[in-house]
Amino acid sequence: MTTTSAGSEPSPTPLCELVGVKKNYPLGDLIVHAVKGVDVRIYAGEFTAFAGPSGSGKSTLLNLVGCLDRQSEGQVYIEGRDVATLSDTELGDVRARRIGFIFQSFNLIPVLTAYENVELALRLAGLVRKGHKERVEEALRSVGLADYMGRRPAQLSGGQQQRVAIARALVKTPALIIADEPTANLDSKNGAAILDLMKSMNADNGTTFLFSTHDPMVMERARRIIHLQDGQITGDERRDLTNPSPSGASVAPHGA
């Protein structure tokens, strides 16, 4: 099995680990088994996608990794901490400080400018202190929005709004950035540009990205694809994107 390329080589300790994780939801008199006994490790520096059709469990897994939901069974570890042992306040602190979120619908606050939307992430994390203004400005410059800091979301294109969302996720310097279908509301040109931006941040800064997707553009750029079907992992593919030939990728069945 190939490993990720230099600059994103996994560290020995997982950034995130799921062990025997199940997630069930009540639906009337029925129980929906959204995730069925998943075991997976995500390492620092990875550019990884949970891929599968609608209903495969990929967004549910992202919610569990992002501490937005709690598992029904099994263990979820973030930076070695068992999230089941954390209080709601502690989980909130993990979300605010250690995890950045990029949503398909952008989730920007309409009455705030691009600058204020990014700054809010620091305020919620308790990270507003001397030098935070420069930190916000640098985050927006890094996504190509130096000239748009004073604009509100309605004054920005879809691609620009997603760039604000990326800056908002990055400004906290989180351990992990979670992106749920980040290209779903973008045209192909803007989608490709956003993905290439995130890929360059991963390569240049070692920023860890974890996606959910069924978009071929995302899967083409991911260095690791975890395939899901009916709440279970059906394959774990590590790809060397410096070698586009078929020998540059290997797929291991779950548990191999």
Side-chain angles (χ1 to χ4, degrees), residues 115 129-141:
Y115 176 93
R129 54 181 65 120
K130 184 177 180 180
H132 88 273
K133 181 176 184 290
E134 290 77 12
R135 190 170 172 177
V136 173
E137 291 174 348
E138 176 55 33
L140 285 163
R141 278 195 295 269

Side-chain angles (χ1 to χ4, degrees), residues 61-139:
L61 281 176
L62 277 195
N63 288 341
L64 294 172
V65 172
C67 301
L68 296 172
D69 201 355
R70 292 183 183 266
Q71 70 274 20
S72 302
E73 297 180 37
Q75 290 78 45
V76 176
Y77 299 93
I78 304 295
E79 297 184 302
R81 303 173 73 187
D82 184 347
V83 301
T85 67
L86 303 180
S87 67
D88 288 343
T89 298
E90 289 171 325
L91 281 175
D93 188 62
V94 170
R95 289 191 297 267
R97 291 174 176 264
R98 305 303 297 151
I99 302 174
F101 297 92
I102 300 170
F103 302 97
Q104 59 177 288
S105 56
F106 317 139
N107 287 8
L108 302 178
I109 297 177
V111 298
L112 299 183
T113 65
Y115 176 93
E116 291 165 341
N117 267 281
V118 175
E119 182 188 47
L120 182 61
L122 290 181
R123 291 190 179 280
L124 293 175
L127 297 175
V128 173
R129 54 181 65 120
K130 184 177 180 180
H132 88 273
K133 181 176 184 290
E134 290 77 12
R135 190 170 172 177
V136 173
E137 291 174 348
E138 176 55 33

Side-chain angles (χ1 to χ4, degrees), residues 9-209:
E9 185 174 348
S11 60
T13 302
L15 177 60
C16 167
E17 183 174 12
L18 278 62
V19 181
V21 167
K22 299 180 181 181
K23 181 62 184 180
N24 306 321
Y25 294 103
L27 182 63
D29 295 332
L30 302 176
I31 299 295
V32 176
H33 303 284
V35 175
K36 305 172 183 177
V38 164
D39 298 285
V40 69
R41 293 176 175 181
I42 305 297
Y43 292 91
E46 286 193 344
F47 200 75
T48 295
F50 287 139
S54 178
S56 62
K58 57 187 184 294
S59 291
T60 300
L61 281 176
L62 277 195
N63 288 341
L64 294 172
V65 172
C67 301
L68 296 172
D69 201 355
R70 292 183 183 266
Q71 70 274 20
S72 302
E73 297 180 37
Q75 290 78 45
V76 176
Y77 299 93
I78 304 295
E79 297 184 302
R81 303 173 73 187
D82 184 347
V83 301
T85 67
L86 303 180
S87 67
D88 288 343
T89 298
E90 289 171 325
L91 281 175
D93 188 62
V94 170
R95 289 191 297 267
R97 291 174 176 264
R98 305 303 297 151
I99 302 174
F101 297 92
I102 300 170
F103 302 97
Q104 59 177 288
S105 56
F106 317 139
N107 287 8
L108 302 178
I109 297 177
V111 298
L112 299 183
T113 65
Y115 176 93
E116 291 165 341
N117 267 281
V118 175
E119 182 188 47
L120 182 61
L122 290 181
R123 291 190 179 280
L124 293 175
L127 297 175
V128 173
R129 54 181 65 120
K130 184 177 180 180
H132 88 273
K133 181 176 184 290
E134 290 77 12
R135 190 170 172 177
V136 173
E137 291 174 348
E138 176 55 33
L140 285 163
R141 278 195 295 269
S142 73
V143 298
L145 293 180
D147 296 329
Y148 298 86
M149 295 186 191
R151 295 194 183 184
R152 293 180 178 178
Q155 299 171 308
L156 300 171
S157 69
Q160 289 168 336
Q161 289 183 58
Q162 192 63 296
R163 287 172 182 265
V164 175
I166 293 171
R168 180 182 59 192
L170 285 170
V171 73
K172 304 181 294 185
T173 318
L176 171 67
I177 291 181
I178 288 175
D180 187 12
E181 299 280 8
T183 59
N185 289 334
L186 300 175
D187 60 37
S188 58
K189 181 179 178 180
N190 277 307
I194 288 297
L195 290 171
D196 288 339
L197 173 63
M198 290 189 282
K199 188 176 176 182
S200 69
M201 290 174 172
N202 171 260
D204 296 342
N205 307 319
T207 306
T208 306
F209 285 89

